[in-house]
Amino acid sequence: MSEFITDRLIIRQWTAADFQYFKNYFSNKKTARYVGGVKTPEEAWRLMAAYIGHFQLKGFGYLAVEEKTTKQFVGCVGLWDSEPWLELELGYWILEEMQGKGYATEAAYRMKDFAFNNLKVDTLVSYIDPGNMPSIKLAERLGGVFDEKIDLLDFGEHCVYRYSKNS
């Protein structure tokens, strides 16, 4: 897996040019609140490097999303499965100005398909802050079913939305 193409998107590995978008997203209290909170530029750089490192170690991870025709940066989508993580997660975040266009749905469907058909997993989850209603609605559109609430490591209470291959 190096790149995924959908009708409107390219889902690809991170580049140095993406860092400006990444840093701005994680420096904004409003956008960063559901993805681990505000990060300094150095913390954002290390997080982006961790995304790249996860991909190198696992062969999948959180990837950059861009519009196919304009090459405009859209956000992030992918799969996460670090050593302390509970189970394979489908995660996503989209720049504020790119929301409401169906990009998250399109990109997440592609990653969900990859998880079930290439990684051959039985289930997949999204861990979602209970206050993040847009993300909950997206998980439900993707076929996710509320499973339970958990304390997610040091991220606090999260809802677990579970996907099955047939959802």
Side-chain angles (χ1 to χ4, degrees), residues 23 25 27 30 45 49 52-53 59 65 85 89 94-95 99 106 114 123 128 140 142 147-148 161:
K23 177 182 75 169
Y25 188 87
S27 70
K30 181 181 174 188
W45 180 261
I52 296 166
V65 179
W85 216 236
E89 180 188 21
I94 303 294
L95 297 179
Q99 293 175 9
E106 187 173 330
F114 177 79
T123 65
I128 305 172
E140 291 171 345
L142 295 169
D147 193 29
E148 64 180 323
Y161 277 80

Side-chain angles (χ1 to χ4, degrees), residues 21-155:
Y21 299 105
F22 196 97
K23 177 182 75 169
N24 290 345
Y25 188 87
F26 280 94
S27 70
N28 181 323
K29 191 176 187 179
K30 181 181 174 188
T31 56
R33 70 181 171 196
Y34 295 129
V35 289
V38 170
K39 308 270 184 272
T40 66
E42 176 63 16
E43 290 168 331
W45 180 261
R46 289 176 183 267
L47 181 59
M48 193 169 99
Y51 285 5
I52 296 166
H54 183 285
F55 182 90
Q56 292 300 313
L57 293 169
K58 297 278 191 166
F60 60 86
Y62 288 148
L63 298 168
V65 179
E66 69 180 37
E67 286 182 326
K68 192 188 305 185
T69 55
T70 66
K71 305 297 184 206
Q72 174 63 45
F73 185 86
V74 171
C76 170
V77 68
L79 304 168
W80 189 262
D81 187 28
S82 67
E83 192 59 35
W85 216 236
L86 305 175
E87 57 186 304
L88 185 65
E89 180 188 21
L90 170 63
Y92 38 80
W93 55 262
I94 303 294
L95 297 179
E96 279 187 294
E97 62 270 23
M98 303 306 275
Q99 293 175 9
K101 299 178 182 185
Y103 293 142
T105 303
E106 187 173 330
Y109 264 123
R110 183 63 187 95
M111 291 295 96
K112 185 178 151 193
D113 178 68
F114 177 79
F116 288 119
N117 294 314
N118 294 80
L119 300 179
K120 306 291 186 195
V121 298
D122 294 325
T123 65
L124 177 67
V125 300
S126 289
Y127 299 115
I128 305 172
D129 184 289
N132 189 347
M133 290 311 299
S135 190
I136 288 171
K137 288 178 183 178
L138 175 56
E140 291 171 345
R141 269 195 311 278
L142 295 169
V145 176
F146 175 78
D147 193 29
E148 64 180 323
K149 283 187 181 177
I150 62 166
D151 282 323
L152 181 61
L153 303 175
D154 58 350
F155 295 97

